[in-house]
Amino acid sequence: MNLDPREIARYLGIRGKALDPQGAAWADQCQGELAQAVTPRHLGRRLPLTLFQGQSRDLDHHLRHCREGILYAVTLGPEADRLLRRWSAQSMAKAAVGQAVCAAWLDDLCAAYCATLEQDLAPGEYLTPPYSPGYGDWNLGAQPLVLDLLQAPKRLGLTLTAGGMLVPEKSVTALVGISDRKEEACGQKCMRCTKPDCPFRAGPAEVLREP
């Protein structure tokens, strides 16, 4: 684990400034404890995008040049949740830093997983940026279908609460499209999100839909 301190700061709502010495020390401590206790896991499945057609106008637009995609899940597992509870008992400020560390680590793990997927693509195939339930108008109500398609409860122990939240908490599900257009692979994960005022946005707002 070698996380970018700027990403940790971004998840703490800090832009343009470094973490203060105490925050940086907590970030280092949390990373060390996570590295010792947590073994991240992931799985993915290539499938036709007709399974998701019509669920979300934004998702349909995001995947407009794709016929297939790869649905995946990445989780830090229950050990990360236990550490977060321990940190909360020690210090709510440390727990906030730990939350940011976990989020930044999940981002790195998802990026690394997508990089391995690119190695298996055929010539002329390109991955779009990932799109997760909760982005744009793709409702979190899609999570049961996502987990079912991945057999995530059985294979990863990844489930949902009655309120639709992922368990373990530090987990991500996402869909990447497989496009025949190289330009589809350009940009970062927030480039097509419709929430330009999100405090965790990774970059400037982009126009979601073409005229």
Side-chain angles (χ1 to χ4, degrees), residues 8 16 37 48 52 75 96 102 112 122 137 152 155-156 180-181 184 190 192 198 208 211:
I8 298 172
F52 304 97
T75 181
C102 288
D137 67 351
R155 299 174 64 189
L156 283 185
D180 61 359
R181 303 190 181 201
E184 289 290 295
C190 295
R192 294 178 183 170
C198 175
L208 176 67

Side-chain angles (χ1 to χ4, degrees), residues 37 77-87:
E79 296 83 3
D81 289 3
R82 284 194 284 270
L83 280 174
L84 284 166
R85 289 193 292 270
R86 182 192 304 169
W87 296 334

Side-chain angles (χ1 to χ4, degrees), residues 56-125:
S56 158
R57 183 183 175 195
D58 295 337
L59 180 64
D60 287 347
H61 183 81
H62 181 70
L63 302 172
R64 65 196 181 281
H65 300 305
C66 310
R67 289 184 294 179
E68 289 187 300
I70 299 172
L71 187 66
Y72 69 85
V74 178
T75 181
L76 300 185
E79 296 83 3
D81 289 3
R82 284 194 284 270
L83 280 174
L84 284 166
R85 289 193 292 270
R86 182 192 304 169
W87 296 334
S88 294
Q90 295 171 352
S91 163
M92 292 305 296
K94 180 180 179 180
V97 174
Q99 290 275 2
V101 168
C102 288
W105 194 16
L106 276 170
D107 279 352
D108 280 5
L109 291 169
C110 289
Y113 178 63
C114 287
T116 66
L117 296 177
E118 289 176 339
Q119 297 173 10
D120 295 328
L121 295 177
E125 291 184 336

